[in-house]
Amino acid sequence: MMAEDLNSRPATAAPAMSPASTLAATLMAALLAACGGGGGGSSPPVAQPDPPVEPPKPAFALAVKEVASGLSTPLLLTAPTGDTRRFIVERSGRIRILASDGSLRATPFFDLTGLIGTDGEGGLLSMAFHPAYAQNGRFYVYYTDKFSNIAIDEVLVSAGNPDLADMTSLKRIITIPHPTYTNHYGGMLAFGADGYLYAGTGDGGGSGDPSGNAQNLDSLLGKLLRLKVDNVVAPLYNVPADNPFVGQTGKRGEIWAYGLRNPWRFAFDATTAALYIADVGQGAKEEVDVVPASLKPANYGWNIMEGTSCYNAASCSQQGLVLPVFEYDHGANSVNGCSITGGFVYRGTALPELAGRYLYSDYCKGFLKSFLYTNNAVSEAKDWAVGDIGKVPGFGQDAAGELYMLSEAGKVYQIIRKP
């Protein structure tokens, strides 16, 4: 009975697989098939693609971008501290405003047209804003008067219009006689970190300094002057007590440096306070003298020396002379240039690769070049190959430290990164 009962029972059914189990089994079968069914064989690993290669970055280069035109021989561009406007000095006697929106204001900020002398190399040559211009509204202009004298005046901004100078406020700071010749007026004004006003005067003109002014410490020609214009006791400027020739008989106390031929442009490094003087040469060499902030300048050699060479002599005594840190020869037919146009040490933010480099040009060649001066040595001399923009009488620096080149043809170019 028991055996019969067992044989007569129906077979037990296999448990049903859930859909999830079915899917897992299918996937496992596919995986085994891909791996060779477990028969010991294997496929080579799938190769991963190489990461994309970034294209090399273009080498740092400079270009110039036109930002203003229609000017009358622009000589300098500058700005007060913290001001987005740019002020452009025209040789004919006006100062124009290039507004922050890029427009050139039709009404001049300052206008001495018709009241100055423009014979030879004369005219309105420079301006400098007082370091506290935002508070006191004072600026200074350097020009030649109707008698070809060098004149430096103090001027105030109009009380009711920040875009207009008060022409009734002109006050003469100093007059420097410049007889006989109408060249080599110098022409640069700038405030140093010490708060004093510096002015560069030419040697009085003529070939070879015929009057011997540059080496004459009783003459203010061929010099770099250092004047105190704040809190003065009459007259309208005072001589700083630490000027090198203060109180010495037969020597002018205003003199800070001498032996200069025509220091048309000079500039202070905004970071180191070092002074860069671009002194125009006679017929063979152009030079740059650099004075560290810790040193007082002295005798730069003209007309004993032209650059590092004795002037019109096979030999000469160089005792007590400070020779230039940089120079270049004119070359045959002035192939390298004829008259250095000094610029500025770059301390802006748009071109960090350029930091610390001194930029300059040449009136005859229109190039843009630079060098680095550190540890008493020049390095990294470079031609930026921006093209010839024509005769370059000056540079510019705005309140942000960005630099500009000025063309005698009436245009202003900003120095930018080459796209």
Side-chain angles (χ1 to χ4, degrees), residues 124-251:
L124 178 60
L125 305 180
S126 184
M127 73 175 299
F129 287 101
H130 191 281
Y133 177 77
Q135 290 75 43
N136 61 30
R138 288 157 48 192
F139 67 96
Y140 298 81
V141 291
Y142 185 124
Y143 62 95
T144 53
D145 66 18
K146 286 291 189 180
F147 305 99
S148 293
N149 299 312
I150 295 170
I152 300 175
D153 288 2
E154 179 185 279
V155 195
L156 297 176
V157 68
S158 171
N161 186 348
D163 289 341
L164 195 63
D166 179 1
M167 298 302 294
T168 68
S169 71
L170 267 74
K171 185 168 61 177
R172 181 61 52 88
I173 297 299
I174 189 171
T175 302
I176 303 171
H178 191 287
T180 311
Y181 302 101
T182 59
N183 62 339
H184 300 185
Y185 289 112
M188 187 66 182
L189 285 179
F191 278 90
D194 53 17
Y196 295 127
L197 181 64
Y198 290 73
T201 66
D203 66 6
S207 178
D209 190 11
S211 301
N213 290 317
Q215 292 295 319
N216 180 4
L217 292 175
D218 196 29
S219 168
L220 294 182
L221 296 173
K223 310 296 191 298
L224 186 67
L225 310 181
R226 183 175 183 248
L227 309 176
K228 179 183 178 184
V229 294
D230 289 329
N231 304 315
V232 298
V233 178
L236 296 175
Y237 70 91
N238 292 150
V239 174
D242 60 344
N243 275 11
F245 305 111
V246 170
Q248 298 184 30
T249 302
K251 301 177 182 180

Side-chain angles (χ1 to χ4, degrees), residues 94-116:
R94 300 183 299 179
I95 298 173
R96 307 284 298 280
I97 293 178
L98 182 60
S100 55
D101 64 2
S103 64
L104 185 65
R105 300 280 170 83
T107 301
F109 171 71
F110 176 83
D111 193 349
L112 275 185
T113 304
L115 301 177
I116 64 176

Side-chain angles (χ1 to χ4, degrees), residues 64-131:
V64 291
K65 178 181 70 173
E66 182 181 317
V67 295
S69 61
L71 294 151
S72 175
T73 314
L75 301 180
L76 179 72
L77 180 150
T78 187
T81 301
D83 201 312
T84 58
R85 297 171 297 172
R86 292 152 289 180
F87 293 74
I88 303 169
V89 175
E90 294 180 315
R91 180 172 171 249
S92 59
R94 300 183 299 179
I95 298 173
R96 307 284 298 280
I97 293 178
L98 182 60
S100 55
D101 64 2
S103 64
L104 185 65
R105 300 280 170 83
T107 301
F109 171 71
F110 176 83
D111 193 349
L112 275 185
T113 304
L115 301 177
I116 64 176
T118 56
D119 292 342
E121 296 174 358
L124 178 60
L125 305 180
S126 184
M127 73 175 299
F129 287 101
H130 191 281

